[in-house]
């Protein structure tokens, strides 16, 4: 554990240093020297600015490792490679008061999509997710279940990791705030803030929302309606949780947030710090009204990290949880020290969070980081709410949608695509299951899956599953090639901006156009009866469609990784090739003459309502039995027979192979798919 210095001496040393800013501090501690006004905003400094190689440092002069020599007087922060090489993204650290719901899955899917895209770009991605496990709400939830808080947390965390696996979430690190290393880092950060004179003891009185774990300003509280529509006796309530707030008076330790008002205001003035931009104004006016210090300890809460300077207190759950973004980045083998943080992917490129916790991330958190001598995150994205009857879906209200059931019924790709495509990231959105099936079927089953299957069947029938010409040899003004050149850059920009619905639309437009192109050109006719020239033209159409679908598969890989893998497998690419894709693979020209595709099989099974799926399966089984019975009867010459055969043949040529029914089978399709190397 980190040593805890007596408060007085800690404060004295730092205070002394800051009084001597122009003299000794400048000589001895570059960190303190950085406080000498005028100074540029810390977030504007590139890595290494806090500890320029040329800066005089007594630490360095003494030959001491600057990262570990001093935790009380903050040591200089070592530099890391360029920020451009990194992409560090975080989800909220979810509060484990109850099982995850669709609202918990939503930002995690978004962060996964963003990080998969950045990996394709070749960035060194750190995707951090995890859980916030301390505080009175957790202790109460555990007691209600007759479990110890730790047992309760372990159980809920297992539900999160299981859900992330089922949703195909490829995180790099799952942080838990009950980890010993996390506690060590919290103590270290707290000691730094203490050392800066930013922590003091005071009484506080106010209205507390236990569900938010936050004191509320009276003016933001809402009048709650009683069951008969009349205001309740206790009229003050939390605007998010619609529950009464408790009036509390406590002696706590406070963080001097007000000291960082100017820096935070400057930070918010930066256009790209808080996104979407519409959320910035709200925060700006909150800051302009004057930032108040916030309490960072609780005397009455046992389930938390002890404040080493006063062990009667535990660290306030928000001060504790935010530091999870730092402890989660530290690899197991390095000491859990603040000075290690910037060499392991900090600052975050983006924190993805809900709009409910924007104030903590865009105001309190930067204040804490500035005090601890760390860079602030580059971007904070406050997404909207999934709602039910106009209210935020949440664990506290219990009005949730179960993502486990949704994935079990429809598969991960469908869930991922729907929420990213249909709800503008940043705005609120409602869920409707019928619409969900319609949207996903239109995009993935009809346009993409069916189009691919039809084309592959034609290729199998007329070209022995072999690509006849290089896709790169097709004319640059070919409609599909032109559209790909236009839409893929749009998708690149949209993924970078976290406007996922635009990315999905840009890529899917190519899938839809491919299907249309197939209808327009009708290659099956020419392939069957055409001249040599016409046959060559039709072959080129097949290549163009398959190449477009290949590009769609790469372009959709961040959104629907399972489906993309299945498509590429159908196109004859190995699993290894899928694992090593890059965004450059969205360029036209990947399919080469002589390349063999796989035996055609559906890549996406149409979604149907659970009951309908069973009914359809039953009907299919009956039809099969009837066909088998009919086959046993002696055949009669029949004029209609030839026609039927023709129809059947045409259908086969168009590749309209019977697609299965239930979407759960989509995952199975992927497992059963032969991978052609
Ligand atoms: N309805 C929702 N829509 C979108 N995101 C949500 C929703 N509910 C929770 N989240 C995400 O989870 C984050 C908060 O995590 P937390 O574990 O506190 O969830 P919660 O369900 O809101 O909890 P509670 O209902 O107890 O307040 C939010 O900032 C947001 O990113």
């Amino acid at each position: 554990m980190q040593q805890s210095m007596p408060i007085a001496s800690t404060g004295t040393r730092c205070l002394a240093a800051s009084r001597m800013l122009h003299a000794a501090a400048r000589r001895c501690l570059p960190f303190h020297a950085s406080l000498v006004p005028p100074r540029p905003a810390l977030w504007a400094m590139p890595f290494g600015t806090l500890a320029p190689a040329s800066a005089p440092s007594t630490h360095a002069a003494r030959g001491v490792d600057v990262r570990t020599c001093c935790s009380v007087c903050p040591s200089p922060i070592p530099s890391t490679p360029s920020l451009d090489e990194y992409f560090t993204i975080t989800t909220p650290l979810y509060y484990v008061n109850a099982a995850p719901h669709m609202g918990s899955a939503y930002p995690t899917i978004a962060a996964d999509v963003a990080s998969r895209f950045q990996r394709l770009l070749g960035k060194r991605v750190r995707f951090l997710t995890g859980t916030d496990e301390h505080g009175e709400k957790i202790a109460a939830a555990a007691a209600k279940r007759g479990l110890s808080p730790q047992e309760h947390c372990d159980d809920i965390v297992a539900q999160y990791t299981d859900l992330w696996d089922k949703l195909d979430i490829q995180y790099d690190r799952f942080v838990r705030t009950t980890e010993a290393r996390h506690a060590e880092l919290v103590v270290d950060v707290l000691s730094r803030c203490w050392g800066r004179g930013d922590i003091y003891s005071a009484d506080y009185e106010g209205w507390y929302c236990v569900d938010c774990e936050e004191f509320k300003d009276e003016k933001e509280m809402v009048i709650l309606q009683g069951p008969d529509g009349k205001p309740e006796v206790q009229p003050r309530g939390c605007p998010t949780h619609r529950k009464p707030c408790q009036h509390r008076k406590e002696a706590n330790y406070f963080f001097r947030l007000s000291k960082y008002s100017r820096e935070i205001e400057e930070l918010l003035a930066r256009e790209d710090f808080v996104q979407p931009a519409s959320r910035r104004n709200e925060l700006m006016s909150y800051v302009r009204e004057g930032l108040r210090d916030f309490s960072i300890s609780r005397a009455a809460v046992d389930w938390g990290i002890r404040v080493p300077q006063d062990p009667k207190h535990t660290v306030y759950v928000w001060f504790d949880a935010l530091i999870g973004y730092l402890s989660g980045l530290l690899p197991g083998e390095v000491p859990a020290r603040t000075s290690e943080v910037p060499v392991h992917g900090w600052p975050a490129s983006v924190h993805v969070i809900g709009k409910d916790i924007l104030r903590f991330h865009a105001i309190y958190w930067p204040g804490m980081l500035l005090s601890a001598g760390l860079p602030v995150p580059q971007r904070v994205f406050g997404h909207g709410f999934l709602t039910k009857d106009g209210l935020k879906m949440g664990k506290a209200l219990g009005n949730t949608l179960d993502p486990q059931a949704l994935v079990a019924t429809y598969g991960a790709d469908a869930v991922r695509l729907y929420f990213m495509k249909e709800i503008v990231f940043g705005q609120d959105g409602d869920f409707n299951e019928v619409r969900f099936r319609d949207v996903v079927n239109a995009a993935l089953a009809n346009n993409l899956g069916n189009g691919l299957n039809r084309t592959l069947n034609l290729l199998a029938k007329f070209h022995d599953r072999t690509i006849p010409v290089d896709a790169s040899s097709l004319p640059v003004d070919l409609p599909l090639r032109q559209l790909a050149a236009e839409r893929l850059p749009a998708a690149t920009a949209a993924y970078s901006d976290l406007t996922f619905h635009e990315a999905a639309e840009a890529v899917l437009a190519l899938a839809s156009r491919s299907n249309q192109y197939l209808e327009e050109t009708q290659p099956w006719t020419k392939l069957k009866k055409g001249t040599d020239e016409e046959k060559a033209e039709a072959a080129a159409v097949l290549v163009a469609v398959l190449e477009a679908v290949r590009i769609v598969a790469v372009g959709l890989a961040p959104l629907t990784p399972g489906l993309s893998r299945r498509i590429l497998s159908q196109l004859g690419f190995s699993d290894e090739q899928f694992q090593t894709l890059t965004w450059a693979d969205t360029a036209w020209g990947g399919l080469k003459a002589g390349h063999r595709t796989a035996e055609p099989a559906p890549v996406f099974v149409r979604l149907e309502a659970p009951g309908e799926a069973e009914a359809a399966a039953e009907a299919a089984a009956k039809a099969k039995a009837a066909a088998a019975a009919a086959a046993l009867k002696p055949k009669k010459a029949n004029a209609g027979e030839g026609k039927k055969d023709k129809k059947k043949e045409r259908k086969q040529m168009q590749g309209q192979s019977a697609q299965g029914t239930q979407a759960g089978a989509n995952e199975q399709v992927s497992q059963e798919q032969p991978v052609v190397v």
Side-chain angles (χ1 to χ4, degrees), residues 411-425:
D413 289 320
V415 176
R416 293 170 64 105
L417 184 86
Y418 178 80
F419 285 98
M420 293 298 102
K421 178 178 177 297
E422 282 305 292
I423 298 172
V424 176
F425 201 54

Side-chain angles (χ1 to χ4, degrees), residues 92 95 97 101 103 137 241 354 356-357 383 386 392-393 395-396:
Y95 210 41
N97 54 324
H101 58 97
K137 197 159 62 157
H241 294 102
D356 52 335
I357 52 175
H383 66 78
L386 306 184
K392 175 194 172 232
M393 200 184 276
K395 299 190 290 279

Side-chain angles (χ1 to χ4, degrees), residues 565 568-581 595 674-677:
R565 190 178 71 79
L568 290 169
S569 166
Q570 275 284 286
L571 288 173
F573 295 100
S574 69
D575 219 25
E576 199 188 338
Q577 283 170 310
F578 174 70
Q579 299 300 342
T580 51
L581 281 181
H595 174 85
V675 173
V676 180
V677 185

Side-chain angles (χ1 to χ4, degrees), residues 362-394:
I363 295 178
Y364 293 14
W365 182 221
M368 289 165 60
L369 290 164
L370 289 166
S371 175
L374 286 169
V376 299
Q378 292 179 286
R379 183 155 58 136
V380 178
F381 193 101
H383 66 78
F385 288 153
L386 306 184
T387 55
K388 209 164 181 188
D389 305 323
L391 286 180
K392 175 194 172 232
M393 200 184 276

Side-chain angles (χ1 to χ4, degrees), residues 437-656:
R437 286 193 295 270
D438 289 350
V439 163
V440 175
N441 281 338
L444 304 186
N446 304 353
N447 280 333
L448 190 52
N450 201 29
L452 171 68
N453 197 254
R454 294 167 73 185
T455 318
L456 283 176
N457 271 298
L458 290 169
L459 190 78
K461 190 167 171 100
F462 295 100
H463 285 277
D464 190 26
R465 299 189 351 232
T466 305
I467 300 292
V469 291
D470 282 357
S472 61
S473 70
L474 302 178
V476 274
D477 60 354
L478 190 93
L480 292 184
R481 191 168 176 169
Q482 263 185 341
L483 192 69
E486 197 187 297
R487 303 309 285 151
L488 266 296
T492 311
Y495 276 127
S496 306
D497 290 349
L498 312 186
T499 46
F500 304 114
H501 68 290
E502 284 177 10
E505 275 158 21
V507 179
L508 288 167
L510 186 59
S512 153
R513 184 70 184 91
S514 304
N515 228 12
Q516 200 187 358
Y517 187 62
L518 211 51
E519 287 303 322
E520 283 165 15
T521 50
Q522 308 230 335
W524 46 89
T525 316
K526 289 179 186 165
L527 284 168
K528 206 169 176 207
K529 299 193 215 136
T531 61
D532 283 354
E533 203 180 320
E534 283 171 336
K535 280 183 180 161
E537 270 171 35
V541 168
L542 300 189
V543 175
V545 170
L546 292 177
E547 175 64 3
V549 173
R550 186 195 65 78
I551 292 172
V552 170
V554 182
L556 282 186
L559 285 159
T560 55
L563 175 64
S564 293
R565 190 178 71 79
R566 295 195 294 275
I567 294 176
L568 290 169
S569 166
Q570 275 284 286
L571 288 173
F573 295 100
S574 69
D575 219 25
E576 199 188 338
Q577 283 170 310
F578 174 70
Q579 299 300 342
T580 51
L581 281 181
T582 72
W583 195 245
D585 292 315
T586 54
W588 189 273
L591 286 178
K592 306 278 182 234
H595 174 85
R596 284 205 93 206
T597 58
E599 194 65 55
V603 289
F604 193 84
V605 180
R606 276 188 74 77
L607 305 188
E608 291 180 31
E612 279 174 34
E614 273 120 43
E618 206 175 301
K622 274 188 190 155
K624 206 172 162 191
L632 290 175
K633 284 186 188 163
K635 277 185 189 158
K636 278 187 196 163
N638 184 339
E641 199 82 343
K643 262 190 198 167
K644 258 192 214 159
D645 277 353
K646 275 213 171 113
K647 205 171 170 190
K648 197 172 152 202
E649 191 183 324
R650 198 166 62 237
K651 226 176 170 184
Q652 260 176 7
M653 276 162 57
Q654 291 175 18
Q656 290 171 338

Side-chain angles (χ1 to χ4, degrees), residues 36-371:
V36 179
R39 65 191 162 101
L42 292 183
W43 57 87
M45 297 179 183
F47 270 114
T49 320
L50 292 173
S54 57
S57 159
T58 51
H59 305 274
R62 290 198 309 265
V64 177
D65 180 350
V66 293
R67 283 181 288 163
T68 51
C69 80
C70 168
S71 74
V72 176
C73 261
S75 55
I77 302 298
S79 63
T80 66
S82 158
L83 277 177
D84 295 343
E85 290 174 30
Y86 285 89
F87 184 76
T88 299
I89 185 164
T90 67
T91 68
L93 301 188
Y94 302 101
Y95 210 41
V96 292
N97 54 324
H101 58 97
M102 197 55 229
S104 334
Y106 179 60
T108 314
I109 293 172
D112 186 59
V113 172
S115 61
R116 282 176 184 269
F117 168 70
Q118 296 288 338
R119 278 191 208 107
L120 286 173
L121 286 184
K123 294 268 180 84
R124 287 181 61 186
V125 171
R126 284 178 177 85
F127 171 17
L128 173 71
T129 182
T131 43
D132 171 8
E133 304 183 16
H134 288 130
E136 64 180 283
K137 197 159 62 157
I138 305 296
K144 213 167 162 186
R145 297 174 70 199
L147 297 175
S148 72
Q150 192 62 60
E151 284 168 342
H152 165 82
C153 293
D154 293 349
D155 175 54
I156 303 283
V157 167
Q159 298 183 40
Y160 272 93
T161 51
D162 178 56
L163 178 61
W164 288 179
D165 287 348
K166 291 194 171 130
L167 280 168
D168 250 343
I169 306 293
Q170 206 177 55
Y171 54 89
D172 297 299
R173 179 84 167 90
F174 191 102
V175 67
R176 298 185 56 179
T177 59
T178 48
E179 287 164 12
R181 284 169 57 72
H182 169 76
E184 270 180 66
L185 191 68
V186 169
V187 167
D188 192 40
V189 171
L190 184 65
S191 300
R192 281 175 166 257
C193 300
W194 218 300
R196 294 285 297 270
D198 289 345
I199 309 284
Y200 62 92
S201 166
D203 287 337
Y204 191 79
E205 196 172 346
W207 293 96
Y208 196 74
C209 171
V210 182
D211 284 308
C212 293
E213 296 274 17
E214 184 188 19
F215 278 105
K216 296 281 174 190
D217 286 342
E218 287 203 33
K219 62 174 179 299
E220 67 180 303
M221 288 161 63
V222 291
I223 306 281
L224 298 171
Q225 299 293 310
D228 54 358
K230 289 185 188 149
E232 285 180 1
V233 186
Q234 159 55 283
R236 294 184 169 90
C238 165
T240 307
H241 294 102
R242 305 270 150 181
K243 286 185 185 169
C245 293
Q246 299 171 9
H247 191 259
R248 289 190 178 181
K249 189 175 174 187
E250 293 180 3
N252 289 332
Y253 286 97
F254 279 74
F255 175 72
R256 230 180 268 286
L257 183 67
S258 52
K259 179 173 158 187
Y260 297 97
S261 297
R262 183 178 59 84
E263 282 94 337
I264 292 169
E265 207 173 324
E266 280 171 25
L267 182 57
L268 290 172
R270 235 178 59 187
E271 278 193 4
D272 57 348
F273 179 62
V274 169
Q275 286 177 339
S278 54
R279 305 231 186 282
R280 208 156 54 95
N281 298 338
E282 231 174 273
L283 292 169
M284 287 284 257
S285 42
Y286 180 80
V287 175
R288 282 196 197 112
E289 279 173 23
L291 282 181
R292 278 183 293 156
D293 300 343
F294 68 97
S295 80
I296 53 116
S297 77
R298 294 286 181 272
V301 179
D302 259 2
W303 181 239
I305 298 168
R306 294 270 151 217
V307 174
Q309 291 84 350
D310 185 350
K312 290 191 298 301
H313 286 252
T314 52
V315 177
Y316 170 45
V317 63
W318 266 106
F319 193 91
D320 162 354
L322 288 163
I323 295 168
Y325 294 133
L326 310 180
S327 61
L329 288 176
L330 293 181
E333 65 281 6
V334 307
R337 300 287 293 266
T338 313
S339 47
E340 289 290 342
V341 168
V343 271
H344 295 287
W346 187 258
S349 313
V350 57
H351 286 310
V352 171
I353 49 147
K355 60 183 178 181
D356 52 335
I357 52 175
L358 204 49
R359 196 185 295 173
F360 288 102
H361 286 78
I363 295 178
Y364 293 14
W365 182 221
M368 289 165 60
L369 290 164
L370 289 166
S371 175

